[in-house]
Amino acid sequence: MEAGEGKSKKAGGSRLCCICNQRRPVLKRPKTLQQICRECFYEVFEEEIHHVIVGNRLFKSGERVAIGASGGKDSTVLAYVLSELNRRHNYGLDLFLLSIDEGITGYRDDSLETVKRNEVQYGLPLQIVSYKDLYGWTMDEIVKMIGLKNNCTFCGVFRRQALDRGAALLKLDKLVTGHNADDIAETVLLNILRGDIARLSRCTSITTGEDGPIPRCKPFKYTYEKEIVMYAYFKKLDYFSTECIYSPNAYRGFAREFIKDLERLRPRAILDIIKSGEDFRIATTTKMPEQGTCERCGYISSQKWCKACVLLEGLNRGLPKMGIGRPRGSGNDQKDTKARSTAKSIESKQCGSLDF
């Protein structure tokens, strides 16, 4: 009887939250596999992000900080949590929402409606910057010209510069993005597969762009995507969940599936890949690109023209593939040859070896 009672208590105890040991668990944390209750999950989730912010000294009191807001789960949870932590721990930040309208009908127009609701829900001023205003093109128009194969290259390059332009309009000190641990692990793998030494050396940094127009911070660097989804679900946050209609065949998607497979086998694999990226060292003999400014638009660039200007020039001249891949053809037209050689010079970045 006594043995049976002890066994019953043990079974009952296993159904309590492993942190507070008072409430029933509602989830198993993907990162630690702990079975915890909803209240403890909120606390550990928020406090881990707070420790990342404080431990890495991401902000200073009085700074103007914008959250790159797409309306998706990552940026919505980031806006909510950062607003809460700013009040709770008295960071002293002036927070804003900064959104980019790429001009994707049926996707971005709908997600921006979510961001506009977030503006009201969180009381954060919103600034929207559009590709059409900045570049004279929407992504719908670009895809119509170039097709679905390389459209993510255009969007990524244009979005990065658009965020900096928006930051300048808001006179920001810092920009924070919702890049999570899964995103960073994917980027480490992609840069290894591409042999992109320059990006590999900085992709795990929690703050980047300190030598550029505006520093960018990633408070979610060690936060798993699954936990972000769980947090948004349990908090009933208002976010847009549809994937970009132009991204199903994106190269990053294959790295993402590989990361998911690794996580299923070993949950710590995501953090281990990030740690590996942090521990990479570039040989001192490696020639790295030197940062300068684009002669055309003044944006930061390691080449004569920045990538955005090269891509935009190709679009405006009816050569949308300029700056993407290796040029083919006879090159009879002298202007086309000159344009392609400009694109080729951008691709001919020096690569080196890695010290482990």
Side-chain angles (χ1 to χ4, degrees), residues 188 200 204 271-281 356:
V188 170
L200 181 60
T204 57
L271 294 179
D272 290 340
I273 292 172
I274 294 174
K275 183 66 166 63
S276 298
E278 292 172 338
D279 289 343
F280 281 133
R281 295 294 179 269
F356 295 92

Side-chain angles (χ1 to χ4, degrees), residues 26-27 38 41-42 229-237:
V26 296
L27 63 95
R38 186 178 306 187
F41 173 60
Y42 294 157
V229 173
M230 289 178 177
Y231 187 91
Y233 172 76
F234 285 123
K235 284 283 187 178
K236 295 181 171 55
L237 299 184

Side-chain angles (χ1 to χ4, degrees), residues 2-142:
E2 292 180 0
E5 287 178 357
K7 186 176 180 181
S8 176
K9 287 180 181 179
K10 184 177 180 181
S14 66
R15 290 195 294 271
L16 292 177
C17 170
C18 68
I19 294 179
C20 68
N21 203 33
Q22 294 177 355
R23 293 176 289 266
R24 293 176 65 86
V26 296
L27 63 95
K28 180 187 286 186
R29 287 196 72 188
K31 184 190 291 188
T32 63
L33 301 184
Q34 293 174 303
Q35 294 191 18
I36 59 177
C37 66
R38 186 178 306 187
E39 291 77 7
C40 286
F41 173 60
Y42 294 157
E43 183 177 351
V44 296
F45 183 89
E46 293 166 3
E47 284 306 299
E48 282 181 6
I49 295 166
H50 170 62
H51 288 311
V52 168
I53 290 172
V54 174
N56 292 275
R57 299 179 179 178
L58 296 189
F59 311 120
K60 296 177 183 176
S61 180
E63 286 186 326
R64 293 169 62 87
V65 177
I67 299 146
S70 65
K73 64 184 184 313
D74 298 314
S75 62
T76 300
V77 172
L78 179 59
Y80 178 84
V81 171
L82 193 54
S83 297
E84 289 294 310
L85 295 179
N86 189 38
R87 286 191 289 267
R88 186 184 307 164
H89 298 287
N90 195 26
Y91 292 164
L93 305 177
D94 288 329
L95 295 176
F96 302 84
L97 297 175
L98 175 58
S99 293
I100 306 302
D101 181 3
E102 301 95 340
I104 303 176
T105 304
Y107 169 67
R108 184 55 72 211
D109 48 356
D110 291 338
S111 69
L112 284 176
E113 291 304 312
T114 304
V115 178
K116 290 173 184 176
R117 292 196 298 271
N118 293 159
E119 176 188 15
V120 177
Q121 291 159 354
Y122 307 146
L124 302 177
L126 170 64
Q127 174 75 51
I128 299 176
V129 179
S130 75
Y131 281 10
K132 190 67 174 179
D133 291 340
L134 287 177
Y135 310 116
W137 291 79
T138 65
M139 278 307 300
D140 285 341
E141 294 167 342
I142 292 172

Side-chain angles (χ1 to χ4, degrees), residues 57-60 63-67 167 172-176 207 214-217:
R57 299 179 179 178
L58 296 189
F59 311 120
K60 296 177 183 176
E63 286 186 326
R64 293 169 62 87
V65 177
I67 299 146
L172 299 179
D173 297 298
K174 296 238 174 61
L175 176 67
V176 295
T207 300
I214 181 81
R216 299 181 182 214
C217 306

